[in-house]
Amino acid sequence: AQSVSQHNHHVILSEAASLELGCNYSYGGTVNLFWYVQYPGQHLQLLLKYFSGDPLVKGIKGFEAEFIKSKFSFNLRKPSVQWSDTAEYFCAVRSGNNRLAFGKGNQVVVIP
Amino acid sequence: DGGITQSPKYLFRKEGQNVTLSCEQNLNHDAMYWYRQDPGQGLRLIYYSQIVNDFQKGDIAEGYSVSREKKESFPLTVTSAQKNPTAFYLCASSQASSYNEQFFGPGTRLTVL
């Protein structure tokens, strides 16, 4: 079964700092990759996704992610975070069927 | 507005009682899913359904049951056999094609006393 690893469960940083969240998956075949975000008190929503093509994907709110097939990774980045980026971030991978495997999430707190 | 609704938002039950969580979608999606979210555990798949009258077990199906009698509805029953039912439950839906994202409802927080 597919497994997804997210490191550094709790991340605390100041506004304007850069953010990078790591995501690694286990399956070596064709995959679809997603980052979801859950803001405090809100439902889970899609931040960005990768299916094929350019491995550098741009999402909403200035986020981007890079798919590196050789490293089985799909890391999320934002050059300069804002207080409103405080949220929990989940990486998800789909391989072979319509099921998603989620990582355990990164709780990000941005200090004003 | 199109979307996914889950009710109620908060639910309290006594230990040993079965409880049913509602999930309705008006997105005309074929596939629906139930996840359980625990702190530090991410989302774990309980059951999913790719078409009406058909559903499959996910990774943690024990102690849960579902039905899919209508395309727009996918209720989840948490039975007394579930050993640790207190959790946040999320419902999602998607088009059946593998090239589509899942959309999530607002969730139901179940507390078993």
Side-chain angles (χ1 to χ4, degrees):
Chain A
Q2 178 69 264
S3 68
V4 181
S5 298
Q6 290 182 245
H7 315 292
N8 303 322
H9 181 65
H10 290 98
V11 177
I12 301 174
L13 58 166
S14 300
E15 277 192 318
S18 64
L19 173 68
E20 180 160 1
L21 301 177
C23 174
N24 291 91
Y25 59 93
S26 59
Y27 182 69
T30 301
V31 292
N32 302 144
L33 301 157
F34 306 83
W35 275 97
Y36 282 87
V37 60
Q38 191 173 34
Y39 296 104
Q42 297 187 25
H43 60 88
L44 210 65
Q45 57 188 285
L46 184 71
L47 204 52
L48 46 76
K49 60 186 176 184
Y50 173 81
F51 289 138
S52 64
D54 189 345
L56 185 61
V57 179
K58 297 203 182 289
I60 60 171
K61 304 188 180 185
F63 284 90
E64 64 179 30
E66 184 175 13
F67 170 51
I68 303 179
K69 189 174 182 179
S70 61
K71 295 185 178 180
F72 301 99
S73 71
F74 189 54
N75 293 353
L76 181 72
R77 298 192 291 254
K78 185 169 182 178
S80 177
V81 294
Q82 300 172 312
W83 174 77
S84 58
D85 293 320
T86 294
E88 191 156 18
Y89 295 81
F90 295 95
C91 181
V93 180
R94 179 169 54 213
S95 53
N97 54 37
N98 239 348
R99 293 177 51 161
L100 286 181
F102 282 84
K104 294 187 175 181
N106 294 106
Q107 183 66 58
V108 175
V109 175
V110 180
I111 300 171
Chain B
D1 285 338
I4 302 173
T5 56
Q6 291 185 243
S7 61
K9 188 172 182 179
Y10 298 97
L11 190 56
F12 296 87
R13 279 295 181 270
K14 291 183 179 179
E15 192 172 343
Q17 290 181 334
N18 291 356
V19 59
T20 297
L21 281 57
S22 167
C23 177
E24 304 277 332
Q25 55 97 1
N26 61 3
L27 300 168
N28 200 33
H29 285 169
D30 295 302
M32 296 187 74
Y33 312 81
W34 273 106
Y35 294 91
R36 171 181 170 137
Q37 185 179 8
D38 297 284
Q41 294 295 316
L43 279 70
R44 293 180 289 170
L45 182 65
I46 304 172
Y47 267 97
Y48 65 108
S49 167
Q50 304 218 49
I51 196 169
V52 174
N53 292 323
D54 187 43
F55 49 82
Q56 289 80 40
K57 291 182 179 180
D59 300 318
I60 55 165
E62 186 175 351
Y64 299 97
S65 65
V66 292
S67 62
R68 187 82 187 278
E69 297 177 1
K70 298 186 294 183
K71 187 176 184 179
E72 60 270 22
S73 178
F74 190 41
L76 173 75
T77 297
V78 184
T79 75
S80 57
Q82 168 50 233
K83 294 177 181 176
N84 186 20
T86 295
F88 189 53
Y89 291 88
L90 286 168
C91 179
S93 70
S94 72
Q95 292 290 5
S97 164
S98 62
Y99 292 97
N100 287 287
E101 71 202 65
Q102 292 183 14
F103 292 84
F104 286 81
T108 292
R109 186 166 298 281
L110 172 66
T111 302
V112 175
L113 305 171

